[in-house]
Amino acid sequence: MSDKTSYEQDLSRNEAADNLQALAREIRGEGAADVTVGNKSVALDPASVIEYDITVEERSPMLGGERETITVTLDWEVEETD
């Protein structure tokens, strides 16, 4: 099964930081993580080891104006429970 839930909105810097901190609190520690995506909550089960990937992209004005993007990807194998 492959489901994808996404959401986009404009936030202040502080609001964006608050959302990242809320995500970090959910992933930290043991057990399930409830991740809010827009008005939906997605229950995830992070493994004890998570693959972390961060990419920073800086686009020049020649491509329609200067823009900076940070993409963070967290990826893990779902551990089987007996």
Side-chain angles (χ1 to χ4, degrees), residues 11-77:
L11 300 173
S12 70
R13 287 174 68 161
N14 286 339
E15 290 169 324
D18 289 344
N19 285 355
L20 289 170
Q21 287 176 328
L23 177 60
R25 277 192 302 275
E26 285 295 323
I27 291 173
R28 186 178 309 279
E30 301 291 321
D34 293 321
V35 178
T36 301
V37 183
N39 64 355
K40 182 177 179 182
S41 182
V42 180
L44 301 175
D45 191 18
S48 58
V49 175
I50 295 176
E51 181 181 321
Y52 172 86
D53 178 43
I54 185 166
T55 304
V56 176
E57 182 179 353
E58 300 168 284
R59 296 185 210 153
S60 70
M62 293 173 37
L63 301 174
E66 287 188 49
R67 189 164 183 89
E68 300 170 330
T69 303
I70 298 174
T71 303
V72 177
T73 302
L74 305 175
D75 191 13
W76 60 86
E77 298 248 352

